[in-house]
């Protein structure tokens, strides 16, 4: 959830970094801080709480300098206090560092450093890395960072500055997203960020770092290095990478008159579903055209089994995809939590296709699961939103959902975008596996209606709000659905937990009687997803069971 912003160039760094941190507020955080270097000295301001608290400190005592880093932190190691906030510094106050991720062996490293005389100020794992860099620094920051990282186990996206090397930022990545932004129109300036939203106002030219890479930034440019083997005595190897062009503008990350980003993104869904289908539905042929799958054509022609790996909301979309592919294309599908898939010995035989689904394309567990599958010889397909993301780059082929930047923490438009693409993919496979032309045309016609149907649903927002107010004081909810709507019930329960901090569980409606029914009373509202489909009458029977026990039904 944490955010990183860095700047080096001719302008004052504090306002640029502060603006970038505000752009990342949607990620959730509990403290914030900025460090700059001016006239050979390191200066740090940080505060627990929201960015407004940091702004207050900066108004009292502004930071000066054209070279700095900033961070918004979501507490992992240590309470959300000012001392534990980033940036962290070393014992000599010459190194400042911001970090996303977790250093898993920080306890062992801390003990070794304390034996060498280092004193720690915070409870965080991150401060350990500052002291290692201090211990190793010998006039060259990138060398010290590369060597320090060779001792670290875990995940990181970091940005580091050193008072002895003004005008330089060193960034590195392993399992946590990081990019660099290149000054537009010949401007001699460079940016670093964990999310493109932080820099898009100033540049659309970005380079996404891969795992095991480090970049050295100065106002005059950047060098990109592979440090994945540096712990084995190998010198960092220079890497060449094409610059990516961000294809969305600042207006897409503004609220656009809505009270908050999540509401804006809910109401964008008719457009984002249409964008996910744009140019991909072939009405006459009754099929879908997915150009990103051309490298996988031979694989898809002979696929015998599909494994989909994902996390959270994407995992729920994957289950809907499983039902669609099996029903339409008659290909067996398994859906795996990426966090579990990566830590066991999955069976990946010939004829198996692995699909990785991720909004950001940077989900650490999904990336690791995808790499585990590749190591076992599986071809990999991606379904992602962010162009140029790690999953997009590392898969053999894939499909973008074209939902635009998703700023709200809880996924909305990306979820329906994933469902749309999975439906297109199911159609694409089915037309190669026996679905008739007439059935294909009917499916395409139904897909065409989706944006308008979603708009009609959103027109009910006033009625939805009145229901929400009526049930806002309840502490527990059940979400029930059957068939395709079981995973949608899981997603509904997840959203209530994420956004309202209300306990909620999703179940197949028929499973209610195998335990959850004992909890149902007038204080347990039950949300039923009950469209007029093949199991409608089964669902209405489940509704009657709830009503018989005095439960409140939202259908």
């Amino acid at each position: 959830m944490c955010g990183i912003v860095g700047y080096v160039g001719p302008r004052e760094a504090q306002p640029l970094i502060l603006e970038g941190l505000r752009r990342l507020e949607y990620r959730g955080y509990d403290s914030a801080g900025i460090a700059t270097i001016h006239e050979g000295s390191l200066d740090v301001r940080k505060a627990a709480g929201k960015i407004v608290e940091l702004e207050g400190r900066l108004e009292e005592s502004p930071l000066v300098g054209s070279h700095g880093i900033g961070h918004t932190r979501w507490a992992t190691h240590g309470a959300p206090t000012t001392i534990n906030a980033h940036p962290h510094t070393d014992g000599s106050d010459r190194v400042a560092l911001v970090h996303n991720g977790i250093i898993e062996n920080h306890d062992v490293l801390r003990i070794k450093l304390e034996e060498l005389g280092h004193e720690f100020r915070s409870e965080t794992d991150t401060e350990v890395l500052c002291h290692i860099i201090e211990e190793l620094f010998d006039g060259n920051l990138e060398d010290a960072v590369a060597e320090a990282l060779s001792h670290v186990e875990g995940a990181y996206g970091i940005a580091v500055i050193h008072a002895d090397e003004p005008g330089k930022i060193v960034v590195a990545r392993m399992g946590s997203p990081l990019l660099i932004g290149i000054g537009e129109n010949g401007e001699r300036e460079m940016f670093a960020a964990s999310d493109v939203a932080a820099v898009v106002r100033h540049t659309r030219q970005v380079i996404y770092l891969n795992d095991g890479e480090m970049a050295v930034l100065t106002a005059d440019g950047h060098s990109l290095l592979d440090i994945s083997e540096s712990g084995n005595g190998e010198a960092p190897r220079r890497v060449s990478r094409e610059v990516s062009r961000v294809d969305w503008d600042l207006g897409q990350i503004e609220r656009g008159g809505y009270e908050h980003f999540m509401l804006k993104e809910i109401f964008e869904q008719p457009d984002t579903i249409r964008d996910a289908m744009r140019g991909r539905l072939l009405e006459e042929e009754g099929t879908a055209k997915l150009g990103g799958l051309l490298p996988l054509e031979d694989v898809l022609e002979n696929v015998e089994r599909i494994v989909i790996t994902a996390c959270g909301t994407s995992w729920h979309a994957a289950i809907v995809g499983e039902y669609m592919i099996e029903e339409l294309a008659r290909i067996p599908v398994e859906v795996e939590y990426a966090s579990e898939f990566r830590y066991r010995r999955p069976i990946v035989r010939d004829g198996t296709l692995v699909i990785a689904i991720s909004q950001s394309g940077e989900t650490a567990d999904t990336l690791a699961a995808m790499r585990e599958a590749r190591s076992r010889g599986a071809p990999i397909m991606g379904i992602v939103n962010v162009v140029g993301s790690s999953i997009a780059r590392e898969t053999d082929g894939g499909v973008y959902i074209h939902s635009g930047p998703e700023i709200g923490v809880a996924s909305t438009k990306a979820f329906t975008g994933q469902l749309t693409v999975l439906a297109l993919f199911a159609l694409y496979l089915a037309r190669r596996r026996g679905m008739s032309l007439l059935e294909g045309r009917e499916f395409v016609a139904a897909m065409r209606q989706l944006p308008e149907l979603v708009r009609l649903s959103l027109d009910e927002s006033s009625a939805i709000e009145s229901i929400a107010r009526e049930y806002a004081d309840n502490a527990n909810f059940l979400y029930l659905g059957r068939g395709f709507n079981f995973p949608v019930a899981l997603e509904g329960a997840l959203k209530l937990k994420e956004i309202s901090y209300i306990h909620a569980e999703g179940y197949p409606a028929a499973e209610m009687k195998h335990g959850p029914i004992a909890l149902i009373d007038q204080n347990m509202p039950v949300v039923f997803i009950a469209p007029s489909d093949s199991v409608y009458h089964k669902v209405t029977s489940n509704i009657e069971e709830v009503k018989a026990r005095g439960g409140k039904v939202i259908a």
Side-chain angles (χ1 to χ4, degrees):
M1 302 289 272
C2 312
I4 289 174
V5 184
Y7 175 78
V8 57
R11 297 189 271 175
E12 282 294 310
Q14 177 193 297
L16 293 170
I17 294 170
L18 194 59
E19 177 202 348
L21 294 178
R22 286 197 203 98
R23 299 271 179 210
L24 300 182
E25 281 192 281
Y26 72 89
R27 300 174 70 88
Y29 66 100
D30 48 40
S31 61
I34 298 175
T36 62
I37 291 173
H38 181 61
E39 296 182 346
S41 295
L42 181 68
D43 208 359
V44 180
R45 304 283 184 277
K46 52 188 184 177
K50 296 302 181 184
I51 287 175
V52 67
E53 302 294 333
L54 176 62
E55 287 177 311
R57 299 201 174 189
L58 291 168
E59 286 175 7
E60 293 172 5
S61 178
L63 289 168
V64 180
S66 59
H67 161 217
I69 54 177
H71 192 263
T72 50
R73 174 185 187 245
W74 186 267
T76 54
H77 293 76
T81 63
T82 298
I83 289 175
N84 288 332
H86 297 217
H88 285 289
T89 56
D90 67 323
S92 62
D93 287 325
R94 306 298 285 171
V95 177
L97 181 148
V98 293
H99 167 224
N100 291 350
I102 293 175
I103 297 172
E104 295 172 355
N105 61 335
H106 69 99
D107 284 340
V108 173
L109 296 172
R110 183 184 287 250
I111 291 168
K112 290 181 179 178
L113 288 161
E114 286 174 337
E115 290 172 352
L116 293 171
H118 290 260
E119 295 182 4
F120 290 83
R121 302 163 180 155
S122 76
E123 305 165 85
T124 68
D125 56 334
T126 301
E127 190 186 352
V128 168
L129 195 47
C130 296
H131 288 268
I132 300 174
I133 293 170
E134 177 190 14
E135 189 70 29
L136 296 172
F137 183 75
D138 189 23
N140 185 289
L141 182 58
E142 55 264 43
D143 287 350
V145 171
E147 176 64 21
L149 291 174
S150 72
H151 299 285
V152 164
E153 297 172 9
Y156 56 78
I158 62 168
V160 193
I161 55 177
H162 198 294
D164 290 357
E165 293 203 68
K168 179 188 287 186
I169 302 174
V170 175
V171 298
R173 169 198 166 140
M174 178 60 74
S176 190
L178 208 60
L179 60 91
I180 58 177
I182 301 167
E184 294 271 17
N185 303 318
E187 288 287 347
R188 294 176 60 248
E189 60 185 4
M190 294 291 297
F191 300 84
S194 53
D195 190 311
V196 72
V199 302
V200 72
R201 180 177 180 183
H202 304 286
T203 181
R204 293 170 178 273
Q205 298 186 102
V206 300
I207 293 174
Y208 297 93
L209 269 67
N210 289 333
D211 281 351
E213 290 182 346
M214 178 175 75
V216 182
L217 313 182
T218 67
D220 293 321
H222 70 280
S223 57
L224 190 60
L225 304 167
D226 181 347
I227 59 169
S228 58
E229 299 297 326
S230 59
N232 300 323
E234 296 289 330
R237 177 176 57 84
R238 189 172 290 273
V239 175
S240 178
R241 176 81 36 77
E242 284 189 13
V243 176
S244 298
R245 183 83 180 163
V246 178
D247 62 357
W248 44 270
D249 59 35
L250 195 62
Q252 291 180 278
I253 58 171
E254 302 288 356
R255 291 203 305 265
Y258 289 94
E259 187 179 349
H260 48 75
F261 283 114
M262 185 172 175
L263 194 62
K264 172 179 179 277
E265 289 164 9
I266 287 170
F267 278 87
E268 285 177 344
Q269 286 176 101
D271 293 327
T272 54
I273 290 170
R274 189 177 290 110
D275 289 342
M277 295 189 293
R278 194 181 306 278
R280 291 170 167 171
L281 284 173
L282 304 178
E283 296 187 43
E284 284 300 310
E285 294 91 336
T287 190
K289 177 184 178 182
L290 300 170
L293 299 185
L294 284 174
L296 287 167
E297 256 191 346
D298 291 342
V299 171
L300 294 171
E301 200 67 41
N302 300 293
V303 64
E304 297 175 3
R305 173 176 172 259
I306 294 173
V307 175
I308 308 178
T309 185
C311 300
T313 287
S314 298
W315 186 80
H316 297 150
I319 301 174
V320 180
E322 173 188 6
Y323 292 2
M324 287 193 285
I325 293 167
E326 289 190 343
E327 181 167 315
L328 297 176
R330 310 305 297 161
I331 299 170
V333 180
E334 296 174 38
V335 176
E336 297 264 7
Y337 278 117
S339 55
E340 293 296 316
F341 185 86
R342 63 180 289 195
Y343 287 115
R344 59 188 191 83
R345 296 171 60 196
I347 299 171
V348 181
R349 297 194 178 99
D350 289 346
T352 298
L353 169 71
V354 173
I355 302 175
I357 306 180
S358 165
Q359 188 282 128
S360 66
E362 301 289 353
T363 310
D365 283 327
T366 307
L367 260 171
M370 182 187 81
R371 290 166 180 164
E372 173 67 23
R374 182 181 294 287
S375 73
R376 295 175 181 273
I380 312 292
M381 171 182 154
I383 296 176
V384 299
N385 188 31
V386 179
V387 176
S389 58
S390 294
I391 290 176
R393 295 197 305 271
E394 294 185 31
T395 49
D396 300 304
V399 187
Y400 287 115
I401 66 174
H402 295 311
S403 291
E406 187 168 63
I407 306 300
V409 172
S411 181
T412 55
K413 61 179 182 175
F415 177 64
T416 48
Q418 289 167 351
L419 296 183
T420 304
V421 165
L422 284 163
L424 294 173
F425 180 60
L427 173 64
Y428 176 92
L429 290 176
R431 286 289 285 124
R432 287 159 173 75
R433 297 291 179 113
M435 175 187 273
S436 70
L437 175 61
L438 178 60
E439 289 173 314
R441 287 175 175 171
E442 289 174 347
F443 195 93
V444 169
M447 291 285 289
R448 291 277 190 210
Q449 296 177 45
L450 281 172
E452 178 60 17
L453 292 171
V454 172
R455 188 192 64 76
L456 290 171
S457 296
L458 294 172
D459 286 346
E460 299 292 317
S461 59
S462 296
I464 293 167
E465 186 175 349
S466 67
I467 295 169
R469 291 184 185 280
E470 182 180 347
Y471 290 95
D473 294 330
N474 288 90
N476 299 281
F477 279 75
L478 279 179
Y479 280 69
L480 302 177
R482 299 184 80 139
F484 291 95
N485 291 307
F486 159 52
V488 178
L490 293 175
E491 177 65 8
L494 176 63
K495 285 292 164 283
L496 197 66
K497 283 182 276 199
E498 283 186 297
I499 298 304
S500 303
Y501 305 126
I502 293 171
H503 173 255
E505 298 295 335
Y507 279 91
E511 291 299 303
M512 174 186 60
K513 59 182 174 287
H514 297 296
I517 199 167
L519 301 174
I520 293 172
D521 59 22
Q522 60 183 1
N523 298 314
M524 173 74 86
V526 183
V527 180
F528 279 94
I529 304 168
S532 292
D533 58 12
S534 60
V535 292
Y536 174 71
H537 294 295
K538 296 288 186 183
V539 176
T540 55
S541 296
N542 298 135
I543 290 173
E544 292 301 325
E545 290 177 307
V546 170
K547 290 167 67 177
R549 284 157 181 79
K552 296 177 180 178
V553 174
I554 303 168

